Amino acid sequence: MSNDQLGFEFLPDLPTLAVEPKKKATRSAKAPLPKPVAAPPAPTAISVSADADPETLAQALEAHPDYRVQRRLKPRLQWPTATTQAVTRILVLDTETTGLDQAKESIIELALLRVDVDNATGLPVGEVQVYDGLEDPGKPIPKEVVAITGITDADVRGQRLDEARVAALLDGVDVVIAHNAGFDRPFVESRLPQFSQVAWACSFADIDWKAQGRSSAKLESLAQALGLFYDAHRAEMDCHALLAVLVAPLPEAPGTGLAHLLEAARHPSYRVSATNAPFDAKDKLKARGYRWNADQRVWHTRVGDDTALQAEYAWLKEHAYNNRNAVVQVEKLDALAKYSSRGGVVAHQQL
């Protein structure tokens, strides 16, 4: 029985509705013709054999516009032999700790990579020497730290850093590089004071990754932008990942990240404090990147060189102090003091 028959036989009292046939849609003569939509380009054909090795498959996928390939980072321990004597010896460093407060917490893992860098190319040369050591902090490792690092109380029980090995690797080093040296340096200097006698550079703060087109300055994100992934939050692998990131050419600047950091270590930076800035200037200062020091009750920022310092003086006078006379505090920080708990040379500047 059809639907039409069912309706009329079982519901005889319902009125019969006259259904007009659908009219064909008409188009006004003035209405524009719809623009034809171009068909998407056909994807490039990919042909690989069934028994192809993973790298061949990865390269085939990379050739397709719809895929991006991530490769596991493979630590590189040997680079081409140096062809020049003009090299800078670096130590790439990372720590894992029981917490963030250097005054209360302790190192549980320290990793170091020592290698020479060709000053002309900004690339490593020769052998990469490696140290990775655990240390018992003398107290239980917090659960959140275990969750992040995978390091347990059993792993560090009775362990101690090999101070002789660390001293041997540090001997003759020109620059120590860490990703967030402001965190690592106070921890390391508290445990091993000899680190206070060497210059430091920070791959997190000394390179403007946003200006380089990167969406994040986090190490994992920087590695992913190069198509690399790795087991993060263990000190040695973080060091290898950092070295891999820094040997790549910077996207928007000449040279490698390593070359940029070594140049930054040769010049002082400055911490500028907007002393007695008017209260109504706080939003402008914050928008410019100034940070509030609650202990000293002052807004402060860091600038990278003398040219930037003079530009900062001019900006402060016009925007923070409304062209009134003012005196600001300036702290000069060379690479021996940068990112440490120690202060630099303090002066005052009349605006």
Side-chain angles (χ1 to χ4, degrees), residues 307-324:
T307 301
L309 180 63
Q310 296 304 317
E312 201 62 29
Y313 289 156
W315 184 91
L316 282 169
K317 185 174 180 65
E318 179 179 357
H319 297 282
Y321 297 98
N322 297 316
N323 289 311
R324 296 191 295 268

Side-chain angles (χ1 to χ4, degrees), residues 195-246:
F195 275 93
S196 65
Q197 304 303 313
V198 65
W200 282 65
C202 179
S203 53
F204 181 86
D206 289 336
I207 297 176
D208 187 344
W209 291 108
K210 184 177 181 180
Q212 295 304 314
R214 299 304 190 215
S215 60
S216 171
K218 291 183 177 180
L219 183 56
E220 283 182 89
S221 178
L222 296 175
Q224 287 171 2
L226 298 175
L228 300 171
F229 72 93
Y230 63 100
D231 298 324
H233 303 297
R234 285 304 301 264
E236 184 180 338
M237 281 309 302
D238 282 348
C239 286
H240 287 298
L242 180 54
L243 185 59
V245 166
L246 294 178

Side-chain angles (χ1 to χ4, degrees), residues 185-199:
R185 185 169 191 175
F187 271 100
V188 173
E189 288 188 359
S190 176
R191 175 65 181 82
L192 301 161
Q194 58 265 43
F195 275 93
S196 65
Q197 304 303 313
V198 65

Side-chain angles (χ1 to χ4, degrees), residues 9-304:
E9 288 188 17
F10 286 86
L11 299 172
D13 295 333
L14 290 175
T16 302
L17 298 177
V19 180
E20 294 184 5
K22 290 183 179 179
K23 295 182 180 180
K24 293 183 178 180
T26 59
R27 178 177 51 83
S28 170
K30 295 182 180 180
L33 289 170
K35 295 182 179 180
V37 179
T44 305
I46 300 175
S47 177
V48 293
S49 63
D51 59 349
D53 64 277
E55 181 58 27
T56 299
L57 294 172
Q59 292 176 9
L61 280 175
E62 283 181 320
H64 194 287
D66 292 342
Y67 294 91
R68 292 181 180 178
V69 176
Q70 295 279 307
R71 290 173 173 81
R72 180 179 291 279
L73 173 67
K74 296 180 180 179
R76 184 167 179 177
L77 301 179
Q78 188 65 48
W79 293 82
T81 303
T83 58
T84 175
Q85 297 298 316
V87 297
T88 299
R89 180 159 293 171
I90 67 167
L91 201 64
V92 179
L93 176 149
D94 188 56
T95 63
E96 303 297 341
T97 68
T98 55
L100 303 178
D101 188 344
Q102 178 266 324
K104 299 178 181 178
E105 308 297 344
S106 303
I107 293 173
I108 55 176
E109 184 179 27
L110 171 67
L112 308 169
L113 304 182
R114 170 171 149 165
V115 68
D116 292 340
V117 178
D118 187 327
N119 292 342
T121 64
L123 293 173
V125 289
E127 180 187 2
V128 179
Q129 298 184 52
V130 180
Y131 171 75
D132 186 10
L134 297 172
E135 179 151 280
D136 191 336
K139 64 179 182 178
I141 300 174
K143 293 180 179 179
E144 57 270 23
V145 174
V146 175
I148 293 172
T149 65
I151 301 174
T152 67
D153 293 332
D155 293 327
V156 300
R157 188 172 296 120
Q159 297 289 325
R160 187 170 176 81
L161 298 177
D162 185 342
E163 296 184 23
R165 173 66 173 155
V166 172
L169 288 175
L170 186 60
D171 184 43
V173 163
D174 299 300
V175 182
V176 176
I177 296 174
H179 200 68
N180 195 4
F183 174 83
D184 292 296
R185 185 169 191 175
F187 271 100
V188 173
E189 288 188 359
S190 176
R191 175 65 181 82
L192 301 161
Q194 58 265 43
F195 275 93
S196 65
Q197 304 303 313
V198 65
W200 282 65
C202 179
S203 53
F204 181 86
D206 289 336
I207 297 176
D208 187 344
W209 291 108
K210 184 177 181 180
Q212 295 304 314
R214 299 304 190 215
S215 60
S216 171
K218 291 183 177 180
L219 183 56
E220 283 182 89
S221 178
L222 296 175
Q224 287 171 2
L226 298 175
L228 300 171
F229 72 93
Y230 63 100
D231 298 324
H233 303 297
R234 285 304 301 264
E236 184 180 338
M237 281 309 302
D238 282 348
C239 286
H240 287 298
L242 180 54
L243 185 59
V245 166
L246 294 178
V247 300
L250 290 172
E252 302 295 336
T256 65
L258 272 179
H260 182 93
L261 290 180
L262 296 184
E263 181 63 22
R266 297 184 183 102
H267 304 284
S269 64
Y270 300 90
R271 183 182 291 123
V272 181
S273 297
T275 313
N276 297 321
F279 179 79
D280 58 7
K282 65 181 180 63
D283 291 336
K284 294 179 181 179
L285 290 165
K286 186 175 181 180
R288 189 161 174 87
Y290 280 72
R291 301 177 65 182
W292 176 250
N293 185 317
D295 294 333
Q296 299 178 7
R297 302 189 63 78
V298 69
W299 290 94
H300 66 96
T301 192
R302 189 174 70 90
V303 296

